[in-house]
Amino acid sequence: MHSTADSPLSEPLPTRDVDRSDDAYRQWLKEAVRKVQADANRSADTHLLRFALPEHWGIDLYLKDESTHITGSLKHRLARSLFLYGLCNGWIRPGRPVIEASSGSTAVSEAYFAKLIGVPFIAVMPRTTSAEKCRLIEFQGGQCHFVDDSRKMYEEAADLAVRTGGHYMDQFTYAERATDWRGNNNIAESIYRQLELERYPEPAWIVATAGTGGTSATLARYVHYMQFDTRICVADPENSCFFEGWTTGRQDATCDSGSRIEGIGRPRMEPSFVPGAIDRMMKVPDAAAVAAVRALEGVIGRKAGGSTGTGLWGALKIVAEMLAEGRTGSVVTLLCDPGDRYLDKYYSDEWLGEQGLDIAPYARALETFLGTGQWPACDRTAD
């Protein structure tokens, strides 16, 4: 269930004799919008980091470091856009809670903006969400509402909004439309601006991962709008239906189990995932993603989350293809959030054992590739 113009979660359309221009509400609205816009004005751009590759390859690899946002992830941009969208549509009201279905990072960022404008926030999330993400949501003043089955998050969030009189933000529907994909300092425009002085300023590929699908939609639309030759690839984790839906063209594709890679992968085709806009998809083994994110620490000296590892594995595979074909150019992927949120998961050998994930073959393969340029024979990436 999603909040739409005629659903019980949206405000009813006013009749002609109803005055909705209450002065106190309009003043509150103006102040709330000002506070959200001021947050953007205080924020500097995020860094574009180089992933060192052998110079003679003639290929440059970059990571757009979204972990430096004040709430620590790529989702800070989305949460800001969703709050402005909800406020300007009249859906977010003083004193009423904002409710979101989220596996973590979006909820952390939305809790921040809810606190900023003074409304309650409730995150509906799987019980398996990392303890650190729950702590961060609560640190921002939000509440965590758990479900045992991740596929029930949407329904529970919608029902909770009805019961509390709040607004179900519904990132999975509104992510692709709340962001201005034509520019206005979105992530795509930022990437191209930061590449202007590099030797390959127009990347051959940008590799993203998909939770809502909003980021890949923004990147792809911007590339088409600006008439760039860049291709967009989406790397999907194991327990997700996006890859199957994209390859088969089925909008009703589903997956029976939840993703082990928090923040990406979905059990259904989300409304904000725009398959027609992207050029390629990969199905990346979860063990490969964990191996990649651990290898990343050895290159840049920092930990990152599993979604970063999924995208990085896909980006390195594309680098290998370019190298084998004798092509030069640049590839960009995303550093989505910091690894300290996942010390009990992707950086825990005990958790890997519980999940039955053996990352050793992928770790050796990455070491071989970065040393010799030979892509691993163990690769089970599908595309």
Side-chain angles (χ1 to χ4, degrees):
M1 181 177 183
H2 301 279
S3 59
T4 61
D6 58 356
S7 83
L9 301 184
S10 300
E11 293 295 319
L13 292 174
T15 56
R16 292 186 180 182
D17 60 347
V18 174
D19 184 0
R20 299 290 294 270
S21 61
D22 175 77
D23 286 343
Y25 163 68
R26 290 300 293 270
Q27 287 302 313
W28 177 87
L29 176 61
K30 288 171 65 176
E31 182 65 5
V33 170
R34 183 195 66 78
K35 288 178 178 178
V36 176
Q37 290 181 335
D39 171 84
N41 205 42
R42 291 192 301 270
S43 301
D45 203 353
T46 60
H47 301 299
L48 194 64
L49 308 179
R50 289 195 67 192
F51 185 103
L53 297 174
E55 183 70 20
H56 68 273
W57 286 9
I59 302 171
D60 296 331
L61 176 59
Y62 304 89
L63 292 100
K64 180 67 167 163
D65 184 8
E66 294 293 285
S67 72
T68 55
H69 287 292
I70 191 169
T71 56
S73 82
L74 168 68
K75 300 299 185 180
H76 192 83
R77 294 179 190 266
L78 172 60
R80 183 192 295 130
S81 296
L82 287 169
F83 265 81
L84 287 173
Y85 194 72
L87 285 166
C88 295
N89 283 335
W91 295 342
I92 299 174
R93 294 278 171 158
R96 300 186 191 179
V98 169
I99 296 156
E100 183 64 281
S102 169
S103 62
S105 287
T106 301
V108 173
S109 298
E110 288 187 3
Y112 167 86
F113 283 105
K115 183 178 181 180
L116 187 69
I117 67 172
V119 297
F121 178 77
I122 304 171
V124 178
M125 53 177 41
R127 199 171 299 278
T128 56
T129 300
S130 71
E132 178 62 13
K133 281 188 178 177
C134 298
R135 185 192 70 80
L136 291 170
I137 291 166
E138 292 171 350
F139 175 78
Q140 297 293 351
Q143 300 177 49
C144 298
H145 181 94
F146 297 102
V147 295
D148 293 316
D149 185 345
S150 62
R151 293 170 295 180
K152 302 294 185 183
M153 287 197 310
Y154 319 90
E155 182 180 355
E156 180 64 19
D159 289 345
L160 192 58
V162 172
R163 296 198 301 270
T164 62
H167 170 59
Y168 172 28
M169 190 73 89
D170 195 359
Q171 58 167 323
F172 299 104
T173 293
Y174 294 107
E176 59 88 10
R177 66 193 72 173
T179 301
D180 183 359
W181 50 267
R182 296 174 184 85
N184 193 26
N185 196 33
N186 66 28
I187 189 170
E189 183 182 53
S190 175
I191 288 170
Y192 280 90
R193 185 173 62 250
Q194 291 176 315
L195 284 171
E196 285 178 352
L197 298 181
E198 302 299 309
R199 62 174 174 171
Y200 306 116
E202 184 176 326
W205 286 90
I206 298 176
V207 181
T209 51
T212 63
T215 298
S216 62
T218 296
L219 291 166
R221 286 166 167 170
Y222 182 81
V223 163
H224 300 323
Y225 181 69
M226 297 300 293
Q227 305 165 54
F228 292 130
D229 290 327
T230 305
R231 300 296 190 262
I232 304 298
C233 174
V234 172
D236 207 31
E238 287 181 19
N239 298 324
S240 175
C241 71
F242 285 149
F243 178 83
E244 286 73 18
W246 187 82
T247 54
T248 63
R250 290 182 52 194
Q251 288 297 314
D252 61 348
T254 59
C255 180
D256 291 334
S257 54
S259 174
R260 287 179 293 208
I261 307 299
E262 284 191 23
I264 62 171
R266 300 302 305 161
R268 69 175 192 182
M269 295 289 280
E270 300 294 352
S272 282
F273 179 62
V274 185
I278 62 179
D279 301 286
R280 179 178 180 180
M281 287 204 70
M282 294 184 189
K283 193 75 167 180
V284 176
D286 291 347
V290 176
V293 82
R294 290 192 177 191
L296 176 66
E297 183 179 11
V299 176
I300 68 171
R302 288 171 46 195
K303 291 180 171 65
S307 56
T308 299
T310 304
L312 178 59
W313 182 271
L316 287 170
K317 181 176 182 180
I318 287 175
V319 169
E321 292 169 353
M322 293 172 64
L323 183 61
E325 296 166 5
R327 292 185 288 131
T328 59
S330 58
V331 178
V332 179
T333 188
L334 308 178
L335 200 166
C336 303
D337 61 359
D340 56 8
R341 298 181 177 185
Y342 309 99
L343 297 180
D344 59 345
K345 288 195 171 185
Y346 315 125
Y347 294 91
S348 166
D349 291 339
E350 181 181 356
W351 181 84
L352 291 177
E354 292 170 354
Q355 297 297 315
L357 295 176
D358 181 9
I359 69 169
Y362 297 100
R364 289 192 298 269
L366 285 175
E367 183 177 2
T368 298
F369 170 65
L370 294 173
T372 68
Q374 298 299 310
W375 187 248
C378 74
D379 180 29
R380 294 189 295 110
T381 308
D383 64 346

